[in-house]
CSV table of all heavy atoms in Angstrom, one decimal:
chain,number,residue,atom,x,y,z
M,4,ALA,N,120.4,115.0,109.2
M,4,ALA,CA,119.3,114.7,110.2
M,4,ALA,C,118.0,115.0,109.7
M,4,ALA,O,117.0,114.2,109.8
M,4,ALA,CB,119.6,115.5,111.5
M,5,GLN,N,117.8,116.1,109.0
M,5,GLN,CA,116.5,116.5,108.5
M,5,GLN,C,116.0,115.5,107.5
M,5,GLN,O,114.9,115.1,107.5
M,5,GLN,CB,116.6,117.9,107.8
M,5,GLN,CG,115.3,118.6,107.5
M,5,GLN,CD,114.6,119.1,108.8
M,5,GLN,OE1,115.2,119.0,109.9
M,5,GLN,NE2,113.4,119.7,108.7
M,6,THR,N,116.9,115.1,106.6
M,6,THR,CA,116.6,114.2,105.4
M,6,THR,C,116.3,112.8,105.9
M,6,THR,O,115.5,112.0,105.4
M,6,THR,CB,117.6,114.2,104.4
M,6,THR,OG1,117.9,115.5,104.0
M,6,THR,CG2,117.2,113.4,103.1
M,7,SER,N,117.1,112.4,107.0
M,7,SER,CA,117.1,110.9,107.4
M,7,SER,C,116.0,110.6,108.4
M,7,SER,O,115.5,109.5,108.4
M,7,SER,CB,118.5,110.6,108.1
M,7,SER,OG,119.5,110.8,107.1
M,8,TRP,N,115.7,111.6,109.3
M,8,TRP,CA,114.7,111.2,110.3
M,8,TRP,C,113.8,112.4,110.8
M,8,TRP,O,112.6,112.2,111.2
M,8,TRP,CB,115.3,110.4,111.5
M,8,TRP,CG,116.2,111.3,112.4
M,8,TRP,CD1,115.9,112.1,113.4
M,8,TRP,CD2,117.6,111.3,112.3
M,8,TRP,NE1,117.0,112.7,114.0
M,8,TRP,CE2,118.1,112.2,113.3
M,8,TRP,CE3,118.6,110.8,111.5
M,8,TRP,CZ2,119.4,112.5,113.5
M,8,TRP,CZ3,119.9,111.0,111.6
M,8,TRP,CH2,120.3,111.9,112.7
M,9,ARG,N,114.3,113.6,110.9
M,9,ARG,CA,113.6,114.7,111.5
M,9,ARG,C,112.3,115.1,110.7
M,9,ARG,O,111.3,115.3,111.3
M,9,ARG,CB,114.5,115.9,111.8
M,9,ARG,CG,115.5,115.7,112.9
M,9,ARG,CD,116.3,116.9,113.1
M,9,ARG,NE,117.3,116.7,114.2
M,9,ARG,CZ,118.3,117.6,114.5
M,9,ARG,NH1,118.4,118.7,113.6
M,9,ARG,NH2,119.1,117.3,115.4
M,10,ASN,N,112.5,115.2,109.4
M,10,ASN,CA,111.4,115.5,108.6
M,10,ASN,C,110.7,114.2,108.1
M,10,ASN,O,111.3,113.4,107.5
M,10,ASN,CB,111.8,116.3,107.3
M,10,ASN,CG,110.7,116.7,106.4
M,10,ASN,OD1,109.9,116.0,106.0
M,10,ASN,ND2,110.6,118.1,106.2
M,11,ARG,N,109.4,114.0,108.6
M,11,ARG,CA,108.8,112.8,108.3
M,11,ARG,C,108.6,112.4,106.9
M,11,ARG,O,108.8,111.3,106.4
M,11,ARG,CB,107.4,112.8,109.0
M,11,ARG,CG,107.4,112.6,110.5
M,11,ARG,CD,106.1,112.9,111.1
M,11,ARG,NE,105.0,112.0,110.6
M,11,ARG,CZ,104.8,110.8,111.0
M,11,ARG,NH1,105.6,110.2,112.0
M,11,ARG,NH2,103.8,110.0,110.5
M,12,THR,N,108.4,113.4,106.1
M,12,THR,CA,108.2,113.2,104.6
M,12,THR,C,109.6,112.8,104.0
M,12,THR,O,109.6,111.8,103.2
M,12,THR,CB,107.7,114.5,103.9
M,12,THR,OG1,106.4,114.7,104.3
M,12,THR,CG2,107.7,114.3,102.4
M,13,LEU,N,110.6,113.4,104.4
M,13,LEU,CA,111.9,113.0,103.9
M,13,LEU,C,112.4,111.7,104.4
M,13,LEU,O,113.0,110.8,103.7
M,13,LEU,CB,113.0,114.1,104.2
M,13,LEU,CG,112.9,115.4,103.5
M,13,LEU,CD1,113.8,116.5,104.0
M,13,LEU,CD2,113.0,115.3,102.0
M,14,PHE,N,112.0,111.4,105.6
M,14,PHE,CA,112.3,110.0,106.2
M,14,PHE,C,111.6,109.0,105.4
M,14,PHE,O,112.1,107.9,105.0
M,14,PHE,CB,111.9,110.0,107.7
M,14,PHE,CG,111.8,108.5,108.2
M,14,PHE,CD1,112.8,107.7,108.4
M,14,PHE,CD2,110.5,108.0,108.3
M,14,PHE,CE1,112.6,106.4,108.8
M,14,PHE,CE2,110.3,106.7,108.8
M,14,PHE,CZ,111.4,105.9,109.0
M,15,GLY,N,110.2,109.2,105.1
M,15,GLY,CA,109.5,108.3,104.5
M,15,GLY,C,109.9,108.0,103.0
M,15,GLY,O,110.0,106.9,102.5
M,16,ALA,N,110.4,109.1,102.3
M,16,ALA,CA,111.0,109.0,101.0
M,16,ALA,C,112.3,108.2,101.1
M,16,ALA,O,112.6,107.4,100.2
M,16,ALA,CB,111.2,110.3,100.4
M,17,SER,N,113.1,108.5,102.1
M,17,SER,CA,114.5,107.8,102.2
M,17,SER,C,114.3,106.3,102.4
M,17,SER,O,115.1,105.5,101.8
M,17,SER,CB,115.3,108.4,103.3
M,17,SER,OG,115.6,109.8,103.0
M,18,GLN,N,113.4,105.9,103.3
M,18,GLN,CA,113.3,104.5,103.6
M,18,GLN,C,112.7,103.8,102.3
M,18,GLN,O,113.1,102.6,102.0
M,18,GLN,CB,112.5,104.2,104.8
M,18,GLN,CG,111.0,104.7,104.8
M,18,GLN,CD,110.1,103.6,104.2
M,18,GLN,OE1,110.4,102.4,104.1
M,18,GLN,NE2,109.0,104.1,103.6
M,19,ALA,N,111.8,104.4,101.7
M,19,ALA,CA,111.2,103.8,100.4
M,19,ALA,C,112.2,103.7,99.3
M,19,ALA,O,112.3,102.8,98.5
M,19,ALA,CB,110.0,104.6,99.9
M,20,GLY,N,113.1,104.8,99.2
M,20,GLY,CA,114.2,104.7,98.2
M,20,GLY,C,115.1,103.6,98.5
M,20,GLY,O,115.5,102.9,97.5
M,21,LEU,N,115.5,103.4,99.8
M,21,LEU,CA,116.4,102.3,100.1
M,21,LEU,C,115.8,100.9,99.7
M,21,LEU,O,116.5,100.1,99.1
M,21,LEU,CB,116.6,102.3,101.6
M,21,LEU,CG,117.7,101.3,102.2
M,21,LEU,CD1,118.3,101.9,103.4
M,21,LEU,CD2,117.1,100.0,102.5
M,22,VAL,N,114.5,100.7,100.0
M,22,VAL,CA,113.9,99.4,99.7
M,22,VAL,C,113.8,99.3,98.2
M,22,VAL,O,113.9,98.2,97.5
M,22,VAL,CB,112.6,99.2,100.4
M,22,VAL,CG1,111.8,97.9,99.9
M,22,VAL,CG2,112.8,99.2,101.9
M,23,ASN,N,113.4,100.3,97.5
M,23,ASN,CA,113.3,100.4,96.0
M,23,ASN,C,114.6,99.8,95.4
M,23,ASN,O,114.6,99.0,94.5
M,23,ASN,CB,113.0,101.7,95.5
M,23,ASN,CG,112.8,101.8,94.0
M,23,ASN,OD1,111.6,101.8,93.6
M,23,ASN,ND2,113.8,101.8,93.2
M,24,ASN,N,115.7,100.4,95.9
M,24,ASN,CA,117.0,100.0,95.3
M,24,ASN,C,117.5,98.7,95.8
M,24,ASN,O,118.3,98.0,95.2
M,24,ASN,CB,118.1,101.0,95.4
M,24,ASN,CG,117.9,102.1,94.3
M,24,ASN,OD1,116.8,102.3,93.7
M,24,ASN,ND2,119.0,102.8,94.0
M,25,LEU,N,117.0,98.2,96.9
M,25,LEU,CA,117.2,96.8,97.4
M,25,LEU,C,116.6,95.9,96.4
M,25,LEU,O,117.3,94.9,95.9
M,25,LEU,CB,116.6,96.6,98.7
M,25,LEU,CG,116.8,95.3,99.4
M,25,LEU,CD1,116.7,95.4,101.0
M,25,LEU,CD2,115.6,94.3,99.0
M,26,ASN,N,115.5,96.2,95.9
M,26,ASN,CA,114.8,95.4,94.9
M,26,ASN,C,115.6,95.4,93.6
M,26,ASN,O,115.7,94.4,92.9
M,26,ASN,CB,113.4,95.9,94.7
M,26,ASN,CG,112.5,95.7,95.8
M,26,ASN,OD1,112.8,94.8,96.7
M,26,ASN,ND2,111.4,96.4,95.9
M,27,ASP,N,116.1,96.7,93.2
M,27,ASP,CA,116.9,96.7,92.0
M,27,ASP,C,118.2,95.9,92.1
M,27,ASP,O,118.5,95.2,91.1
M,27,ASP,CB,117.3,98.2,91.7
M,27,ASP,CG,117.8,98.4,90.3
M,27,ASP,OD1,117.6,97.6,89.4
M,27,ASP,OD2,118.7,99.3,90.2
M,28,GLY,N,118.8,95.9,93.2
M,28,GLY,CA,120.0,95.2,93.4
M,28,GLY,C,119.7,93.7,93.4
M,28,GLY,O,120.5,92.9,92.8
M,29,LEU,N,118.6,93.3,93.9
M,29,LEU,CA,118.1,91.9,93.9
M,29,LEU,C,117.9,91.4,92.4
M,29,LEU,O,118.4,90.4,92.0
M,29,LEU,CB,116.8,91.7,94.7
M,29,LEU,CG,116.4,90.3,95.2
M,29,LEU,CD1,117.3,89.9,96.3
M,29,LEU,CD2,115.0,90.3,95.6
M,30,SER,N,117.2,92.3,91.6
M,30,SER,CA,117.0,92.0,90.2
M,30,SER,C,118.4,91.9,89.5
M,30,SER,O,118.5,91.0,88.7
M,30,SER,CB,116.2,93.1,89.6
M,30,SER,OG,116.2,93.0,88.2
M,31,TRP,N,119.3,92.7,89.8
M,31,TRP,CA,120.6,92.8,89.2
M,31,TRP,C,121.4,91.5,89.5
M,31,TRP,O,121.9,90.9,88.5
M,31,TRP,CB,121.3,94.0,89.8
M,31,TRP,CG,122.7,94.4,89.2
M,31,TRP,CD1,123.4,93.7,88.2
M,31,TRP,CD2,123.4,95.6,89.5
M,31,TRP,NE1,124.6,94.4,88.0
M,31,TRP,CE2,124.6,95.5,88.7
M,31,TRP,CE3,123.2,96.7,90.3
M,31,TRP,CZ2,125.5,96.5,88.8
M,31,TRP,CZ3,124.1,97.7,90.4
M,31,TRP,CH2,125.3,97.6,89.6
M,32,GLY,N,121.5,91.1,90.7
M,32,GLY,CA,122.4,90.0,91.1
M,32,GLY,C,121.7,88.7,91.2
M,32,GLY,O,122.3,87.7,90.7
M,33,VAL,N,120.5,88.7,91.8
M,33,VAL,CA,119.9,87.3,92.0
M,33,VAL,C,119.1,86.8,90.8
M,33,VAL,O,119.2,85.6,90.5
M,33,VAL,CB,118.9,87.5,93.2
M,33,VAL,CG1,118.0,86.2,93.3
M,33,VAL,CG2,119.7,87.8,94.5
M,34,LEU,N,118.4,87.6,90.1
M,34,LEU,CA,117.5,87.1,89.1
M,34,LEU,C,118.2,86.4,87.9
M,34,LEU,O,117.7,85.3,87.5
M,34,LEU,CB,116.5,88.2,88.5
M,34,LEU,CG,115.5,88.8,89.6
M,34,LEU,CD1,114.5,89.6,88.9
M,34,LEU,CD2,114.8,87.7,90.4
């Protein structure tokens, strides 16, 4: 809970990390 949404900094890092690797997966499969 702390990492996913309660701590705003950890939440901000987690959502940015998700989108970062979404882009990596896109590069991996789509490009």
Side-chain angles (χ1 to χ4, degrees):
Q5 195 76 0
T6 308
S7 301
W8 68 84
R9 286 182 181 167
N10 183 302
R11 284 170 58 83
T12 293
L13 291 174
F14 162 75
S17 294
Q18 65 82 29
L21 187 152
V22 175
N23 186 101
N24 276 22
L25 180 152
N26 294 340
D27 189 28
L29 201 75
S30 169
W31 185 354
V33 171
L34 295 190

